[in-house]
Structures are given as structure tokens and as C-alpha cells.
Amino acid sequence: QVQLVESGGDLVQAGGSLTLACVASGSLGSFNIMGWYRQAPGKQRQFVASMNTDGSITYTPSVKGRFTISRDNAKNTVSLQMNSLTPPDTGVYYCYHRVTYITWGQGTQVTVAS
């Protein structure tokens, strides 16, 4: 079993920055992928960024150059540094961990005011 605990969601003004953090515990596996999805009101959950154990990173095009994902394998944590935030970035951000199955965090609210 895997458990994920998220933190860092907040209300910020357009152009501001936030850092989200997620810590994982349990049977994590020697190779895994951790990252973030987000869900805006009335929309489906969409991929944001991911990073695997070996350092391979993927971003959705709308956040590339503004968001930076990082992970600390020793601490089993993943972070998302978000800069130049805009109102379309608003949503519930979910941390995830994937081996042969996926585990989701509970979500943390990010609101970007106009």
C-alpha cells in the first residue's frame, strides 16, 4: 500500500508563485513514477508533470518553462515549483505514484486570482 500526503496549495495573485510538496510512504518500488495532475471546476483531471526514479521528466505544454518538478528519492518526496501563475492554473492538484498500479493523493486547492 502507498500513501501520499500533499501540502502547499493556497490563494495567490496572477504572476505569483507556489511550491507544492508530496511525501510518499509504503511499498513504493525500486522504480516508479511520481507527479501531478490537476482538475479545474467542471473539467476532467489532466496531466501536469511527472518524474521517474531515473530522472526522466515530462511536462504538459501549457506549463513548460513555468513549472519545475523535482524529487528526492531518499526522502520519497516530489515537489512542483510553479511560477508566473495565471487563472487557468486554478484547480485541485493531485499528487500520484505509479508502479503497476496508481495511487492518488487527496488533492490540494490552488487558486490564482485575476
Side-chain angles (χ1 to χ4, degrees), residues 8-9 14 16 18 21 44 61 64 68 72 82 85 87 90 94 103 110:
L18 281 176
Q44 295 186 14
K64 191 174 183 180
T68 302
D72 186 330
M82 305 185 294
L85 286 163
T90 293
Y94 297 90
T103 301
V110 172

Side-chain angles (χ1 to χ4, degrees), residues 22-91:
C22 174
V23 59
S25 61
S27 301
L28 305 181
S30 59
F31 177 84
N32 61 69
I33 300 171
M34 295 186 68
W36 300 87
Y37 278 64
R38 66 188 180 189
Q39 186 169 20
K43 297 183 179 179
Q44 295 186 14
R45 190 178 300 184
Q46 296 183 325
F47 173 79
V48 177
S50 68
M51 188 172 185
N52 72 17
T53 312
D54 295 330
S56 179
I57 295 173
T58 302
Y59 295 103
T60 192
S62 64
V63 309
K64 191 174 183 180
R66 299 188 298 121
F67 291 11
T68 302
I69 189 170
S70 62
R71 62 183 291 171
D72 186 330
N73 293 335
K75 297 181 178 179
N76 298 317
T77 60
V78 60
S79 297
L80 186 68
Q81 175 67 50
M82 305 185 294
N83 298 323
S84 301
L85 286 163
T86 61
D89 295 315
T90 293

